[in-house]
Structure formats: structure tokens, C-alpha cells
Amino acid sequence: MTTLILLRHGRSSANVAGVLAGRTPGVELDDTGRVQADKVVDRLAGIPLTEIVCSPMLRCEQTVAPLAEARGLAAVTEPELAEVDYGSWTGGSLKTLAKEPLWKVVQAHPSAAVFPDGEGLAAMQHRGVAAVRRHAARIAAEHGPHSVWLACSHGDVIKAILADALATHLDNFQRIMIDTCSISVVVHTELRPFVARVNDTGGDLSSLVAPPPKRRRRTRPPGSDAVVGGST
């Protein structure tokens, strides 16, 4: 199994302006976002990262830059973790877009939402989940099953990936909150994923480090079963 740290990009100029940035080029982190990105380095201190995978959007690249430099890693660009293609909604004011009939569909029945001249949220979930599963399998094969890796993406994409890991329908994904520069954690096992953290903005992450493996006979794949009673 591998442990995936999902990191949302830091606060951007579009977040502050209340604009749906989407795939608009050149959207950067604001001053608060840069501070958030710098703090990620300390928040993940002591966590052995095998790889950093990143959306091609500038705000994500800027978010992982301090961490990549500190770890001596080159971020791997993954187009399938890019922001939703909001089509003609891109660049629009959220207050204005909230008056559109499609807005209610996005909120209450997102699996049916397809943005004009853009993509549907169901298609976004499909590409995002496929991307993290593909990288998880590759990283496990290349670096070992207990590898920890990080993927930096966007709020809706991360929410969709978490909804899949939680085995909940995409229509429930709006119930998941993902703040800027928050950390969520998914552990991929041979049988299923486990969600270990959601929307963590500053907690202790030392538990993400796997303990040394114990030498004992196993009758099932390690980590594939939930702990009976919750945990010790």
C-alpha cells in the first residue's frame, strides 16, 4: 500500500476576488498563499516523501515549490489533476454564477453537472481518481508498498477523489470541505483505500510514518482490513 497526501494549492488571487479561475493561465498565489506554501515544509517535516505530483496550474506549482526545493525533488506534472474545465464559466464572478440554473445542479446533483463548453464533474472525478490510482501503483512498484507521496491539486478535484475513496456518490461531494493548503490523506491498499485525514490545516502528521514491519506470518494482505473496534 502507499500513502497519498492530497494538498490543495494555497490561497490565490482568484480566491480572494471571488472569481472562478478554472484553467485561466497565470493565476498566482497571493501573499497569504505563499506563506501557506512555506508552512507546508515544516508541516511535513519528518514525513519521508517519495515523490511530489502536481497539477499543471501555476498556483499548484507555486504551492509545492518550497517543499520540492527542501526535499531535493522535482515535481511530476500530472495533467489529469488539473482544475475542472469550467468552459464559459471560467473567469466568472461566483456571485453572478450562483444565479445560473446550473448552479443548483452543481450543488445538489453534481454528477449531472456539465459546464457549458467545458467538462462534467463526473468526467473530472473519473480522470482524477484514475490518475492517483495509476501513480499509487507505479510508486509502489518503484519505491515499495509503504511509500508516502504527495499530490497537489484543486478543491473540487480533491473532493471528488475523497468521495471515491469514501465510497460515497459524487452527489455527496459538496459535503466535503477542502480549504486552501489543507491536507487530506488516503492510504491505498490492495483491496481498497482508507481515508486517514480530511481538510487538515495544521495538525500533527507524524502518524503517517509507517512503523517498522514486524516479522510474523500473515494470512492476508497487510493493511487491507479495518481495525476491529476502531483502533487501539
Side-chain angles (χ1 to χ4, degrees), residues 35 43 45 50 52 64 83 115 118 128 132 174 179 181 184 196 212 223 228:
V35 171
R43 289 169 64 192
T50 301
I52 297 173
V64 300
E83 179 61 287
F115 295 96
V132 297
Q174 298 290 23
D179 295 324
C181 236
S184 300
V228 178

Side-chain angles (χ1 to χ4, degrees), residues 79-227:
E80 299 303 309
L81 292 180
E83 179 61 287
V84 179
D85 182 355
Y86 292 112
S88 62
W89 276 31
T90 302
S93 164
L94 292 175
K95 289 184 178 180
T96 300
L97 295 174
K99 299 175 184 177
E100 295 287 337
L102 180 60
W103 184 271
K104 292 183 179 180
V105 180
V106 171
Q107 297 300 317
H109 192 24
S111 64
V114 178
F115 295 96
D117 301 318
E119 73 177 330
L121 290 175
M124 173 274 291
Q125 183 185 45
H126 177 77
R127 64 170 167 84
V129 170
V132 297
R133 289 181 179 177
R134 173 165 44 81
H135 282 288
R138 176 185 60 80
I139 289 170
E142 294 179 2
H143 303 286
H146 296 290
S147 300
V148 181
W149 60 290
L150 179 143
C152 183
S153 189
H154 308 266
D156 281 347
V157 180
I158 292 174
K159 286 160 58 177
I161 292 170
L162 289 173
D164 173 80
L166 289 166
T168 189
H169 198 280
L170 182 61
D171 286 345
N172 296 322
F173 98 136
Q174 298 290 23
R175 300 184 183 194
I176 302 171
M177 295 181 64
I178 299 297
D179 295 324
T180 54
C181 236
S182 66
I183 284 173
S184 300
V185 179
V186 179
V187 180
H188 288 97
T189 74
E190 184 175 323
L191 298 182
R192 58 186 170 180
F194 289 87
V195 177
R197 297 286 177 98
V198 175
N199 201 37
D200 190 318
T201 57
D204 178 13
L205 299 173
S206 59
S207 63
L208 299 182
V209 180
K214 297 180 180 179
R215 298 185 63 183
R216 61 184 181 184
R217 181 181 179 184
R218 293 188 180 274
T219 58
R220 61 178 64 88
S224 63
D225 286 347
V227 178

